[in-house]
Amino acid sequence: MARQLYELCGKDPEILFSPYCWRSRMALAHKGLEFETVPWRFTETDRLAFANWEKVPVLVDGEKVVADSWAIAQYLDDAYPDAPSLLHGRPASYRFITSWNDATILANVVRLIVSDIPAVLNEEAKPYFIKSRAARFGMPLDEVTAGRDDRLPAFRASLQPLRMTFASQRYLGGEQPDYADYIVFGGFMWARCVSPLQLLEDNDPVREWLERMLDLHDGMGRRARISGAEATPR
Amino acid sequence: MARQLYELCGKDPEILFSPYCWRSRMALAHKGLEFETVPWRFTETDRLAFANWEKVPVLVDGEKVVADSWAIAQYLDDAYPDAPSLLHGRPASYRFITSWNDATILANVVRLIVSDIPAVLNEEAKPYFIKSRAARFGMPLDEVTAGRDDRLPAFRASLQPLRMTFASQRYLGGEQPDYADYIVFGGFMWARCVSPLQLLEDNDPVREWLERMLDLHDGMGRRARISGAEATPR
């Protein structure tokens, strides 16, 4: 059986926009492992019952079923120790950047792009998404993202620790990327796939890192389909 | 020759308050290496000429002279590979948390405590410090820290990635501390040694981590002398 990754997609199954699924996609590519995407959409929880889990990513690798991006990363290092390492035997050392990413990047990006997401969803997922996210934020999605251009400078400023790091090395992992890079990259792919908003300025060192990331693994990120485009890179 | 660490101190040579020196103190203790402190004060750059460097920490380990806390951490792992590791052979992976710490903790803590520092300095260092720091901030030091109580909530909120990490592990390094912990600890020791300001609330998981850190290595942090006290732990 081919290796399968259940991934969140839009109405168009080629639009893959979950930041967590991007972590696992890039992790599989980092390991040099081929896989096929099984498109999964919000509300299809029944289809994940075999994994005893309700969210994607879920990896099916032969007999093995692994749910959750964090567990998938650890599983891949354990199961494929001869392939390039993701966590270098120190998963605990990647918890801080995961926490920083979730508190700083994901928590802010969602407030910049969430109103763009319904347009990519299938008809069944759309009302679920709009209702659940509006409830989470206590307001309609358009209001969540209102004035987002004014909030970009503060978002960009919050990335200063990345900028300082890239002053002395090409990737968070050093000369080569590792799982820390994929964690942060996921948030940017989320925005790239669903929103026209340009999160980073052209001359930003974070942007330069992002361009390197988009090129990795035969341009896996750069080739990803984005909302409103037909697989055209931008 | 005994191993020596040149460390920034106050008029009282027992008040050691540099966040960078604390990284190196804790790193030496982590390695189980004995050392003696050579007290060094602002303006004594001539005394570091042998190291071709102008700041502390400087480590003298037999014939070897190593300046800068980052270089010292790498040197200790290289020179003492059988002792517990600080950087686990992956120094690049510690760059991000260093950047985050410097941009988030050090940059904010200085604005909370800088006006408390002159009181601990010797007479020669005091005017140098007051003048150079006032020039850096473009205002007298009392104005830098004015209204600091009102800025504590924002500072505490910025520590959220630490809090999230400590929800699943005891230290940034995992079940045991590593150099990531010492980097962040240094900023808190800086404040502890010179200022009465309580940076953290009692029930904060970051405070709980800090208490564990203070106990490490025979209570090296807890036993450190603090401004206005006679080696009394608090």
Side-chain angles (χ1 to χ4, degrees):
Chain A
M1 187 168 85
R3 196 176 288 113
Q4 295 181 316
L5 185 67
Y6 284 73
E7 295 189 78
L8 179 67
C9 68
K11 179 179 177 179
D12 178 346
E14 299 269 328
I15 293 193
L16 305 165
F17 62 97
S18 156
Y20 305 100
C21 292
W22 271 101
R23 297 179 190 181
S24 298
R25 304 205 103 218
M26 296 296 280
L28 282 157
H30 182 90
K31 285 289 190 183
L33 298 172
E34 298 199 351
F35 65 97
E36 61 181 40
T37 294
V38 180
W40 181 90
R41 296 175 177 92
F42 289 124
T43 74
E44 299 181 340
T45 43
D46 289 353
R47 291 181 55 216
L48 301 178
F50 73 96
N52 198 24
W53 200 248
E54 297 190 332
K55 293 182 292 190
V56 288
V58 170
L59 175 68
V60 181
D61 191 17
E63 300 290 304
K64 187 77 181 173
V65 173
V66 190
D68 184 76
S69 58
W70 183 249
I72 289 170
Q74 293 183 79
Y75 164 76
L76 291 175
D77 268 356
D78 291 343
Y80 302 96
D82 296 333
S85 183
L86 291 161
L87 299 163
H88 301 283
R90 304 269 318 154
S93 291
Y94 292 76
R95 279 280 188 197
F96 177 78
I97 195 162
T98 306
S99 300
W100 176 82
N101 178 73
D102 295 356
T104 304
I105 297 196
L106 299 190
N108 283 304
V109 167
V110 71
R111 291 178 174 82
L112 295 168
I113 67 161
V114 69
S115 61
D116 294 319
I117 293 176
V120 310
L121 300 178
N122 59 313
E123 292 311 309
E124 193 175 338
K126 209 173 289 194
Y128 155 78
F129 183 86
I130 292 171
K131 188 175 172 189
S132 62
R133 269 46 175 188
R136 183 184 299 175
F137 291 104
M139 63 183 82
L141 302 191
D142 283 344
E143 288 183 27
V144 175
T145 57
R148 62 187 182 182
D149 289 337
D150 299 336
R151 285 183 279 120
L152 276 175
F155 171 70
R156 290 168 180 163
S158 76
L159 306 178
Q160 188 60 14
L162 293 176
R163 230 162 263 132
M164 292 162 71
T165 303
F166 299 140
S168 61
Q169 57 194 46
R170 286 170 61 79
Y171 297 101
L172 295 168
E175 282 309 298
Q176 298 296 328
D178 72 3
Y179 197 61
D181 292 276
Y182 302 137
I183 289 167
V184 178
F185 183 63
F188 286 101
M189 284 306 293
W190 182 28
R192 177 181 168 93
C193 291
V194 303
S195 177
L197 191 67
Q198 187 179 322
L199 294 181
L200 301 170
E201 292 184 292
D202 286 341
N203 60 352
D204 188 334
V206 182
R207 173 69 177 254
E208 294 163 14
W209 163 84
L210 184 59
E211 295 293 326
R212 290 194 288 277
M213 294 297 295
L214 287 165
D215 286 335
L216 288 177
H217 313 313
D218 296 324
M220 178 177 264
R222 200 176 291 287
R223 287 185 289 109
R225 187 165 300 177
I226 60 183
S227 175
E230 290 297 326
T232 309
R234 64 172 175 192
Chain B
M1 188 166 85
R3 193 176 291 111
Q4 295 181 317
L5 185 67
Y6 283 73
E7 295 188 79
L8 180 67
C9 69
K11 178 179 179 180
D12 178 347
E14 300 269 327
I15 293 194
L16 304 165
F17 63 97
S18 156
Y20 304 100
C21 292
W22 270 100
R23 297 179 190 181
S24 297
R25 304 203 104 218
M26 296 296 279
L28 282 157
H30 182 89
K31 286 288 190 184
L33 298 172
E34 298 200 351
F35 66 98
E36 62 181 40
T37 293
V38 181
W40 180 90
R41 296 176 177 91
F42 289 124
T43 73
E44 298 180 340
T45 44
D46 289 352
R47 290 182 55 214
L48 301 178
F50 73 95
N52 198 22
W53 201 249
E54 296 190 333
K55 292 181 293 191
V56 288
V58 170
L59 175 68
V60 181
D61 190 16
E63 299 291 303
K64 187 77 181 173
V65 175
V66 190
D68 184 77
S69 58
W70 182 250
I72 289 169
Q74 294 184 78
Y75 163 77
L76 292 175
D77 268 357
D78 290 343
Y80 302 96
D82 296 333
S85 183
L86 291 160
L87 299 163
H88 302 282
R90 304 270 317 154
S93 290
Y94 292 76
R95 279 280 188 198
F96 176 78
I97 194 162
T98 306
S99 300
W100 176 82
N101 178 73
D102 294 357
T104 304
I105 297 196
L106 299 191
N108 283 305
V109 167
V110 71
R111 291 178 175 82
L112 295 168
I113 67 163
V114 69
S115 62
D116 294 320
I117 293 177
V120 309
L121 300 179
N122 60 312
E123 291 312 308
E124 192 174 339
K126 208 173 289 193
Y128 155 79
F129 184 86
I130 292 171
K131 189 175 171 188
S132 63
R133 269 48 175 186
R136 182 183 301 173
F137 290 104
M139 63 183 82
L141 302 191
D142 282 345
E143 288 183 28
V144 176
T145 57
R148 63 187 183 183
D149 288 337
D150 298 337
R151 285 183 279 120
L152 276 175
F155 171 70
R156 290 168 180 163
S158 76
L159 306 178
Q160 188 60 13
L162 294 176
R163 229 161 263 131
M164 292 162 72
T165 302
F166 299 138
S168 62
Q169 57 194 45
R170 286 171 61 78
Y171 297 102
L172 295 169
E175 283 308 300
Q176 298 296 329
D178 72 4
Y179 198 60
D181 292 276
Y182 301 138
I183 290 167
V184 178
F185 182 63
F188 286 102
M189 283 307 293
W190 182 27
R192 178 181 167 92
C193 291
V194 303
S195 177
L197 191 67
Q198 187 178 324
L199 293 180
L200 301 170
E201 293 183 291
D202 285 342
N203 60 353
D204 187 335
V206 182
R207 174 68 178 252
E208 293 164 13
W209 163 83
L210 184 59
E211 295 293 326
R212 292 194 287 277
M213 293 297 295
L214 288 166
D215 285 335
L216 288 177
H217 312 314
D218 296 324
M220 177 177 264
R222 199 177 293 285
R223 287 185 289 108
R225 187 165 302 178
I226 61 182
S227 176
E230 291 296 326
T232 309
R234 61 174 177 194

